[in-house]
């Protein structure tokens, strides 16, 4: 290891910055170079933060590759463009040699060359990668690469980043890259207005492109795109198709996923029992089976649903349809203080609020961006699915229906609808309070339609599920352990007292052994630290129909909502001798010790559903909002607002149903 | 001579030539996205609610609101 071949084998490492217009294929090229799987999508503004990876360029040359958000020019208009602008301007301490690879969509050469010309005039080391050459060919055009390279005095490489064509040539050009003096692209005029400068630039670009591109026909929009747009943005069909797609997603998530979910659930019960039997009984066994396996199992069964959700969103994005939804919804959303671009955060918020909130960076108007960030967590995210599913199954019989519609499905759909209505309602109300003097625009490039790349969709699913599992898994394991400790031990000698009481057999003499064991366990749980905590907040949540056990779950859910299921599993299995019954059955059998009534009545169930629909119980969201708004003010307002909304909506719901 | 109108008044299917853009900030932004004086634009779609509109210039599609299109002066061309 380490030092062989010193001298003969000097390794050099440089830095490659991938810069270009949005949707030109920067992340596709990044993936080809680094072997990583950065998100790629047929939508301007997929990448909103800087990402880096490593690539081998030649035998002794490697590179740190930086994928940057797309930008149309060097005057940033939105936060994602600013990331690129700042990175280009930043001085980096390591003084690595840097080369800027400008990725240009060759089928839109004129527009894409503007940024390149600006970089040339900053006297930066530039290589031009002409991407999407397959489309140029399909349009029966050809580009004179040699002419372009000579006129611009920079290396020009034709490529197809989607298929990985031209990568070798690009690497060769990087390896032999040498800085040389170039004439400026346009002459410098002191004190020139930006618009005049851009005009002159474009004049020159036009002349160059006219010579470089030979076209048999005139440039025109791809026919398929035109035909699809006529239907997909049609004033009747457009909306009908959008609603149908939403319905389809709903079906996929809530009906088609049922079968794989059942298999996972059964697998976990089996696994839990297996572990419980193979390990010697005791503290470790309980923690493993009741806390961790039950908690993780509660989450893993939702993988099919989450995968289905991400698959659909990824397909919508990869085809180019997502930008059409923005186009159709802008007119409506602007009445609510939002922007057509807000549709991306709002839709992807159904999967997870964290990336959704980041994608709001593409909204240039500060007020619209802030409103979008503020309301996105009200959209029911995938972490609510476990909670909704468990409670709905608990309070509504599977066969209940209204007309031909299954009641469970209707309630689920209603929860999503409430979330959405609360979101846009909040925005409508907030738009009067948040002030801005920026004007509002919706100027957006509409990409041509493309067939989705299934490999890409597959990667997205795997990546997202992985993140979900690991992030949620970490929190669940940590909370399970803490909770298990807190519910297995109590302050002072409270536990011994309970044992004594039961041991002396003074309580109701003619009770059978099993019932007594159960009573003893529940008395202990109540006396434990966790029980005390739940009891402490019980008065506050009693009006919503929640008991102290639900109280414990609400507290732990502040880390992340999906912890609810694990917490319930832990609470209901501490002291449960055999783990044969599922959590649902245990909760179903739960009775109020005083009145003997069922705890999970319709009223309590509906109230709990509404609470989870509205409350901001997700630390990751709080953190991302703080980062994106660069202040703690907004996350704090958000927590209080959503908390109050959840509390009062639950209060009303509970009273309505009881 | 051809008659000048605002881009916002153009109908679906029209071909227009961009003559001037009044708002300077807007004109820089539009220019960076390929929409500049002298270009020929085709009105591709008008969103169902009457706003925004989708135009094509030089083979690429751009959507913009009527409020911004009002600042763009165009001349109508024969179809
Ligand atoms: N036909 C064709 N499509 C390509 C090519 N390169 C990329 N694409 C597609 O173009 C779309 C955009 O690719 P990305 O790599 O996400 O583009 P990007 O520049 O990173 O985009 P932003 O992050 O949004 O700025 C995707 O649908 C790609 O599959 C190419 O050479 N030919
Ligand atoms: Mg990208």
């Amino acid at each position: 290891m380490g030092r062989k071949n010193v001298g003969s084998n000097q390794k050099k490492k440089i830095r490659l910055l991938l810069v270009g217009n949005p949707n030109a294929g920067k992340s596709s090229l990044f993936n080809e170079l680094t072997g990583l799987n950065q998100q790629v999508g047929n939508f301007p503004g997929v990448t909103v933060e800087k990402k880096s990876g490593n690539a081998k360029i030649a035998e002794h040359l490697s590179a740190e590759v930086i994928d940057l958000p797309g930008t149309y020019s060097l005057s940033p208009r939105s936060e994602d463009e600013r990331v690129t602008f700042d990175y280009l301007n930043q001085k980096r301490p390591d003084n690595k040699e840097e080369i800027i690879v400008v990725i240009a969509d060759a089928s839109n050469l004129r527009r894409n060359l503007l940024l390149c010309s600006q970089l040339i005039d900053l006297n930066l080391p530039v290589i031009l990668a002409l991407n999407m050459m397959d489309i140029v060919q399909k349009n029966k055009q050809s580009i004179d690469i040699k002419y372009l390279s000579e006129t611009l005095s920079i290396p020009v490489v034709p490529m197809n980043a989607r298929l990985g064509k031209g990568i070798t040539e690009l690497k060769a050009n990087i390896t032999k890259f040498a800085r040389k003096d170039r004439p400026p692209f346009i002459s410098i005029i002191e004190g020139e207005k930006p618009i005049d400068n851009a005009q002159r630039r474009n004049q020159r670009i036009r002349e160059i492109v006219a010579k470089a591109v030979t076209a048999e026909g005139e440039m025109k929009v791809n026919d398929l795109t035109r035909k699809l747009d006529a239907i997909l943005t049609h004033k009747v069909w457009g909306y009908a198709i959008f609603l149908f797609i939403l319905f389809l997603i709903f079906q996929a998530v809530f009906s088609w996923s049922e079968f794989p979910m059942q298999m996972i659930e059964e697998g976990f019960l089996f696994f839990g029992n297996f572990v419980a039997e193979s390990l010697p009984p005791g503290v470790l066994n309980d923690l493993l089976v009741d806390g961790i396996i039950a908690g993780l199992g509660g989450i893993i069964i939702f993988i099919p649903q989450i995968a289905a959700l991400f698959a659909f969103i990824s397909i919508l994005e990869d085809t180019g349809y997502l930008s059409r939804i923005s186009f159709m919804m802008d007119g409506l959303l602007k009445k609510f203080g939002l922007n057509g671009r807000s549709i991306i955060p709002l839709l992807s918020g159904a999967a997870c609020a964290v990336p959704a909130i980041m994608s709001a960076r593409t909204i240039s108007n500060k007020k619209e961006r802030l409103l979008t960030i503020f309301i996105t967590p009200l959209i029911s995210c995938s972490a609510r699915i476990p909670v909704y599913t468990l409670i709905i199954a608990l309070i509504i019989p599977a066969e209940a229906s209204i007309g031909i519609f299954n009641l469970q499905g209707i309630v689920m759909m209603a929860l999503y609808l409430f979330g959405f209505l609360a979101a846009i309602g909040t925005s409508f109300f907030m738009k009067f309070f948040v002030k801005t003097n920026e004007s509002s625009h919706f100027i957006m490039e509409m990409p041509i339609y493309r067939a989705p790349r299934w490999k890409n969709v597959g990667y997205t699913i795997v990546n997202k599920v992985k993140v979900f599992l690991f992030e949620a898994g970490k929190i669940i394991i940590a909370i399970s352990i803490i909770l298990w400790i807190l519910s297995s031990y109590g302050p002072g000698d409270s536990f011994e007292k309970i044992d004594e009481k039961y041991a002396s057999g003074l309580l109701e003499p003619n009770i059978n052994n099993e019932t007594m064991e159960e009573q003893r366990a529940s008395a202990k749980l109540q006396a434990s630290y966790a029980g005390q905590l739940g009891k402490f907040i019980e008065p506050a949540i009693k009006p919503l129909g929640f008991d102290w056990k639900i109280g414990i779950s609400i507290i732990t859910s502040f880390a992340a909502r999906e912890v609810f299921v694990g917490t319930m599993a832990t609470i209901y299995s501490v002291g449960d001798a055999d783990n044969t019954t599922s959590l649902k059955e245990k909760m179903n059998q739960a009775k109020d010790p005083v009145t003997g009534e069922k705890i999970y009545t319709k009223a309590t169930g509906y109230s709990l559903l509404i609470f989870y629909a509205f409350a901001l119980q997700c630390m990751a969201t709080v953190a991302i909002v703080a980062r994106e708004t660069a202040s703690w003010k907004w996350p704090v307002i958000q927590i209080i607002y959503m908390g109050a909304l959840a509390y009062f909506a639950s209060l009303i719901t509970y009273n309505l149903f009881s | 001579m051809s008659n000048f109108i605002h881009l916002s008044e153009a109908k679906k299917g029209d071909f227009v030539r961009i003559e001037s853009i009044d708002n300077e900030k807007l004109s820089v932004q539009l220019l960076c996205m390929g929409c500049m004086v002298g270009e020929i634009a085709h009105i591709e779609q008008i969103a169902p609610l009457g706003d925004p509109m989708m135009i094509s210039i030089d083979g690429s599609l751009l959507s913009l609101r009527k409020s911004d299109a009002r600042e763009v002066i165009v001349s109508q061309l024969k179809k």
Side-chain angles (χ1 to χ4, degrees):
Chain A
M1 305 224 338
R3 310 208 125 225
K4 50 185 176 177
N5 291 341
V6 178
S8 69
N9 199 359
Q10 280 290 351
K11 286 219 163 163
K12 194 172 147 197
K13 188 153 186 181
I14 58 170
R15 188 180 285 120
L16 293 178
L17 315 189
L18 307 186
V19 180
N21 283 182
N23 214 35
K26 299 173 294 300
S27 302
S28 303
L29 177 59
F30 177 86
N31 290 346
E32 284 296 331
L33 287 172
T34 60
L36 297 174
N37 294 314
Q38 262 312 306
Q39 195 173 351
V40 165
N42 189 17
F43 182 83
V46 174
T47 310
V48 294
E49 60 179 340
K50 164 193 146 240
K51 293 275 170 165
S52 67
N54 287 305
K56 188 172 178 229
I57 303 295
E59 188 65 41
H60 303 307
L61 185 67
S62 63
E64 180 192 5
V65 188
I66 313 282
D67 186 19
L68 290 161
T71 179
Y72 289 104
S73 73
L74 288 178
S75 30
R77 262 179 308 269
S78 53
E79 285 307 308
D80 57 328
E81 293 193 352
R82 187 171 299 282
V83 171
T84 303
F85 181 76
D86 288 346
Y87 192 80
L88 284 170
N89 281 319
Q90 187 188 346
K91 255 220 137 350
R92 281 168 281 281
D94 59 5
N95 280 322
K96 243 185 226 166
E97 191 187 325
E98 292 184 348
I99 299 176
I100 298 178
V101 179
V102 178
I103 292 94
D105 174 354
S107 66
N108 278 308
L109 198 52
R110 254 194 237 171
R111 166 162 61 73
N112 278 259
L113 277 183
L114 184 79
L115 178 67
C116 182
S117 81
Q118 287 179 323
L119 293 166
I120 289 175
D121 279 350
L122 288 175
N123 209 13
L124 293 166
V126 175
I127 294 180
L128 177 60
L130 282 188
N131 195 27
M132 314 234 180
M133 286 305 284
D134 52 320
I135 298 180
V136 173
Q137 245 164 25
K138 230 203 242 146
N139 289 350
K140 297 205 172 66
Q141 294 175 314
S142 69
I143 298 179
D144 187 342
I145 305 288
K146 191 157 161 280
Y147 167 78
L148 211 52
S149 171
E150 278 165 7
T151 319
L152 300 173
S153 310
I154 53 172
V156 178
V157 187
M159 59 191 310
N160 175 346
R162 195 161 149 118
L163 297 182
K165 284 189 195 157
I167 303 287
T168 327
E169 292 82 345
L170 178 67
K171 284 184 176 175
N173 271 286
I174 293 168
T175 313
K176 65 172 192 233
F177 186 84
R179 283 197 83 137
K180 59 175 180 196
D181 283 332
R182 287 185 305 235
F185 186 78
I186 52 168
S187 54
I188 299 161
I189 298 178
E190 285 297 332
E192 188 183 28
K193 281 204 271 181
I195 180 69
D196 295 333
N197 181 284
Q199 289 276 17
R200 272 197 310 137
R201 232 170 246 293
N202 262 313
Q203 203 50 51
R204 174 104 207 276
I205 290 173
R206 263 197 231 201
E207 289 161 15
I208 294 174
V209 171
K211 279 192 195 144
V213 181
T214 55
E216 278 179 15
E218 53 179 332
M219 282 284 238
K220 63 177 181 100
V221 179
N222 153 313
D223 274 336
L224 177 68
T225 294
R226 205 170 250 162
K227 279 183 195 140
L228 281 173
D229 269 340
I231 305 168
L232 295 177
T233 66
H234 186 268
K235 55 177 172 277
V236 179
W237 297 123
Y239 288 115
I241 291 170
F242 181 48
L243 286 179
F244 177 73
I245 289 174
L246 287 183
F247 178 76
L248 210 63
I249 297 178
F250 211 82
Q251 277 292 311
V253 171
F254 294 105
S255 322
W256 304 343
S257 304
E258 224 162 68
F259 177 67
M261 288 174 71
Q262 257 168 17
M263 304 219 329
I264 300 176
E265 186 171 17
E266 276 161 25
F268 254 87
L269 266 178
F270 176 80
F271 180 61
N273 280 327
F274 173 76
V275 174
E277 279 162 24
S278 357
L279 287 177
V283 179
L284 185 68
N285 191 328
D286 288 351
L287 172 62
L288 220 59
V289 177
D290 298 342
I292 295 174
I293 296 182
L296 282 182
I299 277 308
I300 290 176
I301 59 168
F302 294 99
I303 287 180
Q305 293 188 317
I306 286 156
L309 196 57
F310 277 112
F312 270 95
I313 290 178
S314 165
I315 292 171
L316 291 189
E317 189 173 83
D318 221 26
T319 51
Y321 181 58
L322 209 50
S323 54
R324 270 62 181 192
I325 306 179
S326 292
F327 173 71
M328 282 197 298
M329 291 296 170
D330 180 65
L332 196 66
L333 289 173
K334 79 178 174 196
K335 298 199 173 76
F336 291 88
L338 301 167
N339 189 287
R341 287 180 190 262
S342 307
I343 210 73
I344 291 93
L346 292 180
L347 258 183
S348 61
C352 176
V354 174
I357 283 169
M358 284 188 61
S359 69
R361 282 185 185 182
T362 59
I363 303 170
S364 61
N365 181 289
K366 287 210 181 64
K367 175 178 173 176
E368 291 170 344
R369 175 163 177 248
L370 182 69
L371 292 190
T372 306
I373 291 175
F374 195 86
I375 65 169
T376 296
L378 281 166
I379 301 294
S380 282
C381 64
S382 54
R384 275 138 162 144
I385 296 177
V387 185
Y388 289 173
T389 310
L390 178 66
I391 299 170
I392 287 179
L394 205 59
I395 59 167
I396 303 168
E399 57 285 348
S401 60
I402 297 179
I404 55 162
F405 296 105
N406 174 283
L407 187 59
Q408 290 191 339
I410 292 178
V411 172
M412 186 66 87
M413 206 169 295
L415 286 167
Y416 277 81
L417 193 66
F418 289 159
F420 176 71
L421 292 178
I424 57 168
T426 300
S427 175
F428 187 77
F429 159 82
M430 256 183 84
K431 81 174 190 186
F432 297 106
F433 297 97
V434 180
K435 291 275 169 269
T436 180
N437 42 22
E438 280 177 58
S439 52
S440 160
H441 302 277
F442 175 77
I443 300 178
M444 190 170 161
E445 187 193 338
M446 299 279 123
I448 58 169
Y449 289 101
R450 282 187 237 275
R453 280 208 318 172
W454 301 107
K455 201 173 97 189
N456 180 28
V457 174
Y459 281 137
T460 308
I461 297 172
V462 172
N463 277 344
K464 301 282 171 164
V465 168
K466 246 203 257 169
V467 170
F468 176 81
L469 267 189
F470 285 124
E471 292 305 311
K474 266 192 296 197
I475 300 175
I476 287 166
I477 291 178
I479 294 215
S480 296
I481 293 174
I482 296 170
L483 186 71
W484 183 84
I485 293 170
L486 289 182
S487 51
S488 301
Y489 300 93
D493 58 353
S494 51
F495 271 44
E496 281 90 51
K497 280 204 180 125
I498 292 169
D499 279 336
E500 270 170 34
K501 196 162 105 186
Y502 280 87
S504 55
L506 290 176
L507 284 123
E508 304 162 54
N510 42 11
I511 204 165
N512 70 29
N513 235 346
E514 206 175 303
T515 324
M516 196 177 81
E517 263 318 304
E518 257 172 38
Q519 284 184 0
R520 191 220 307 251
S522 90
K524 275 189 179 174
L525 182 62
Q526 231 181 99
S528 71
Y529 291 106
Q532 299 284 310
L533 201 62
K535 282 271 170 196
F536 176 72
I537 68 157
E538 195 173 27
I541 56 174
K542 192 112 213 183
L544 312 184
F546 304 162
D547 70 345
W548 58 276
K549 286 184 182 172
I550 300 177
I552 298 173
S553 299
I554 289 179
I555 292 174
T556 57
S557 292
F558 272 104
R561 297 176 182 92
E562 58 270 38
V563 170
F564 175 85
V565 180
T567 303
M568 282 295 174
T570 307
I571 293 175
Y572 280 100
S573 54
V574 167
D576 172 34
D578 51 323
N579 286 290
T580 45
T581 41
S582 71
L583 174 60
K584 195 182 114 190
E585 285 166 51
K586 282 180 199 158
M587 287 172 71
N588 203 11
Q589 287 156 12
K591 299 234 162 55
D592 188 308
V594 185
T595 61
E597 277 169 28
K598 256 175 105 160
I599 294 199
Y600 295 94
T601 59
K602 278 211 160 45
T604 296
Y606 282 126
S607 165
L608 198 54
L609 286 173
I610 292 290
F611 190 89
Y612 272 81
F614 294 151
L616 179 53
Q617 300 160 294
C618 175
M619 270 176 345
T621 303
V622 173
I624 204 79
V625 173
R627 196 182 84 186
E628 294 296 297
T629 61
S631 79
W632 280 100
K633 177 180 151 195
W634 288 108
V636 169
I637 296 178
Q638 212 171 14
I639 292 173
I640 296 172
Y641 171 75
M642 288 176 66
L645 188 66
Y647 191 90
F648 290 109
S650 290
L651 188 66
I652 294 169
T653 310
Y654 183 65
N655 285 306
L656 226 56
F657 282 93
S658 54
Chain B
M1 276 296 292
S2 53
N3 49 331
F4 285 14
I5 56 168
H6 297 282
L7 176 59
S8 52
E9 293 159 340
K11 302 267 173 316
K12 183 174 164 180
D14 284 358
F15 283 89
V16 297
R17 189 209 313 280
I18 297 170
E19 302 291 348
S20 72
I21 303 176
D22 291 345
N23 179 328
E24 192 174 315
K25 244 176 96 185
L26 182 71
S27 81
V28 179
Q29 179 169 7
L30 286 176
L31 189 143
C32 296
M33 299 177 83
C35 170
M36 62 196 119
V37 172
E39 291 284 359
I40 311 282
H42 179 209
I43 319 302
E44 298 277 350
Q45 296 288 338
I46 310 261
L49 297 167
D51 196 18
M53 62 201 303
M54 198 194 292
I55 61 175
S56 66
I57 293 175
D58 193 29
S60 70
L61 291 165
L62 190 71
S63 61
L64 74 167
R65 283 187 186 161
K66 289 259 166 98
S67 57
D68 289 326
R70 207 163 294 135
E71 316 241 22
V72 181
I73 309 290
V74 297
S75 59
Q76 231 155 351
L77 303 175
K78 293 234 165 55
K79 307 225 162 124

